[in-house]
Amino acid sequence: MSIASPFFPHGKHFVAGARIATEAQFRSSPAAGPAHSFSTGTPARVDEACRAAEEAFSSFGYSAREERAVFLETIADEIEARAEAITGIGTQETGLPTPRLVSERGRTVMQLRLFAAHIRLGDYLDRRRDAALPERQPLPRPDLRLMQRPVGPVAVFGASNFPLAFSVAGGDTASALAAGCPVVVKGHSAHPGTSEIVAEAVLAATTRRGLHPGVFSLIQGGRRDVGEALVQHPLIRAVGFTGSLAGGRALFDLCAARPDPIPFFGELGSVNPMFLLPAAVAARGEAIGQGWAASLTMSAGQLCTNPGIAVVMSGPEGEAFAEAARAALSRVPPQVMLTDGIAAAYRAGRDRVASGAGVQALFTSTCDLRHATPYLFRATGKDWLGKHALAEEVFGPLGLIVTVESIGEMLDLARSLAGQLTASIHMDDADTELACALLPILERKAGRVLANGFPTGVEVCDAMVHGGPYPASTNFGATSVGTLSIRRWLRAVCYQNLPERVLPKDLL
């Protein structure tokens, strides 16, 4: 069954299976098409959703893996049934092109099905057993069994730049539901209509599978107090967040300040540096420059893995790389950004970089209103080191080339980096010794280190890590992409001398 398009939102929250309106309303601000009214979230609605989630956990948290797997696959089916309507309102709200929304929807349903397959295998449970040794001296050993168990209700904050894959039914929600954790989603106000129709898909799947309606709720909009109420609610046991450094840090601090602190898994910000090693630049610097420009401007630069910094040795080969990047950027037309606020923040970031001491503009353009155009700047390694402002993320298609005078300066620059989601090395065989010197530094700085590529493609699979040391994320041991992300919503429980008739079925 397909859902007809166009889609006209009803503008209500989803709380424990009910569509609930509130008196206060907010209007969407689409890039194109009509604006719509949506109910504004309140702490009272948050409380209702969290209480329903806790009630649902008593059954959902102890449900069979197969039951949860089928539920995830049913959500995927319901999203696909609404494909045309999702693309229609998604492109209106975000300004993202249709191919991007279609691709992201495919990634979203693939994630759901991937987690269904993952929990069927059962490896994520990390089951261990030390059998009893009653005759051991000087003391006998009890029978010990270990298994990962769901933590309870989880709060998820939708991302502005991924209205599907990192939002209502995105990776955080998919992995939490797979683990057995009910989810309360705080929808992003940049795409409330998209959030609503995806929530309809989740609700339909919940109904079809006969699950407790508190397994999923969506709270739309709201001021800061809504997000604060969600992370501080005593029934919430963990939080998933993708967003700004300032907003994420504020919520992280609230989680830590609770009477019972809970983990906050925030993906906050990264400049994703690229290190261009000499032999690679000499052999194919122009091609690297062109590829960098394409990666830098993908989705108007509104990707958390956007490679904003390129580190290269000074000299003619470095100049050829810079010229190739400049020429490629000059051909990129203006692109619509996700929100007016993001566009304004991009212009502010541009001004911050441009005003840095020793910064040289290589390519400038004119961007206004909700549009983004590329910018390219250059600074020396000496200008970079100690200049915190140049190391801060600019969310948009802005690149900074940092030229260094020696291998030692390149290594010093790598050591100066804060935590990153990614770090890239462009190398040829002749660069192997330098790459081997860089790798121990970069693997301490980033969750993913890649060679001869650009980080803007994030594969959803078993081996992917999308996280890193702070400020890339607030928990360096976690990932928000890939099957390992389910571990965020689990905790180890040891069962000592329990009879088999009492043990969880997954331990038998």
Side-chain angles (χ1 to χ4, degrees), residues 154-437:
V154 165
V156 170
F157 285 75
S160 64
N161 59 334
F162 279 88
L164 300 173
F166 276 89
S167 288
V168 173
D172 287 349
T173 297
S175 56
L177 293 176
C181 298
V183 174
V184 179
V185 176
K186 168 68 171 64
H188 200 287
S189 58
H191 41 76
T194 310
S195 296
E196 180 182 306
I197 194 170
V198 175
E200 291 278 8
V202 181
L203 179 60
T206 303
T207 302
R208 282 177 58 185
R209 301 310 309 165
L211 299 178
H212 189 294
V215 76
F216 171 85
S217 293
L218 168 68
I219 306 295
Q220 296 272 38
R223 297 184 301 275
R224 244 176 112 177
D225 60 338
V226 176
E228 292 173 355
L230 185 53
V231 302
Q232 292 182 304
H233 198 284
L235 297 177
I236 292 296
R237 307 316 306 158
V239 179
F241 174 90
T242 299
S244 70
L245 175 59
R249 182 55 197 252
L251 295 174
F252 172 76
D253 290 344
L254 287 174
C255 288
R258 287 172 44 139
D260 57 335
I262 60 173
F264 179 87
F265 298 100
E267 192 260 277
L268 307 183
S270 182
V271 295
N272 305 297
M274 303 189 314
F275 290 82
L276 281 57
L277 306 195
V281 177
R284 47 193 169 85
E286 292 186 15
I288 296 172
Q290 293 166 0
W292 182 40
S295 180
L296 193 65
T297 56
M298 184 183 298
S299 293
Q302 299 168 118
L303 299 172
C304 45
T305 53
N306 193 34
I309 307 293
V311 183
V312 62
M313 297 286 290
S314 63
E317 291 87 359
E319 290 295 330
F321 158 76
E323 174 55 28
R326 187 207 65 76
L329 290 174
S330 70
R331 296 188 290 270
V332 176
Q335 299 178 74
V336 178
M337 301 200 83
L338 293 159
T339 68
D340 294 323
I342 289 174
Y346 173 58
R347 293 191 292 272
R350 170 204 62 191
D351 295 342
R352 169 174 50 79
V353 172
S355 62
V359 173
Q360 174 190 3
L362 298 184
F363 178 74
T364 61
S365 54
T366 301
C367 62
D368 58 7
L369 302 177
R370 197 162 161 171
H371 293 87
T373 52
Y375 290 85
L376 182 62
F377 297 96
R378 177 163 56 193
T380 67
K382 292 180 181 178
D383 291 328
W384 166 277
L385 292 169
K387 302 294 194 307
H388 179 74
L390 295 182
E392 293 178 3
E393 180 185 28
V394 178
F395 197 60
L398 182 147
L400 175 64
I401 297 173
V402 182
T403 58
V404 294
E405 298 298 327
S406 66
I407 298 302
E409 191 175 20
M410 180 177 284
L411 296 175
D412 286 343
L413 192 147
R415 294 186 187 99
S416 76
L417 291 167
Q420 306 292 329
L421 293 171
T422 75
S424 305
I425 301 173
H426 289 268
M427 60 173 290
D428 278 358
D429 289 345
D431 296 311
T432 298
E433 183 178 355
L434 176 52
C436 288

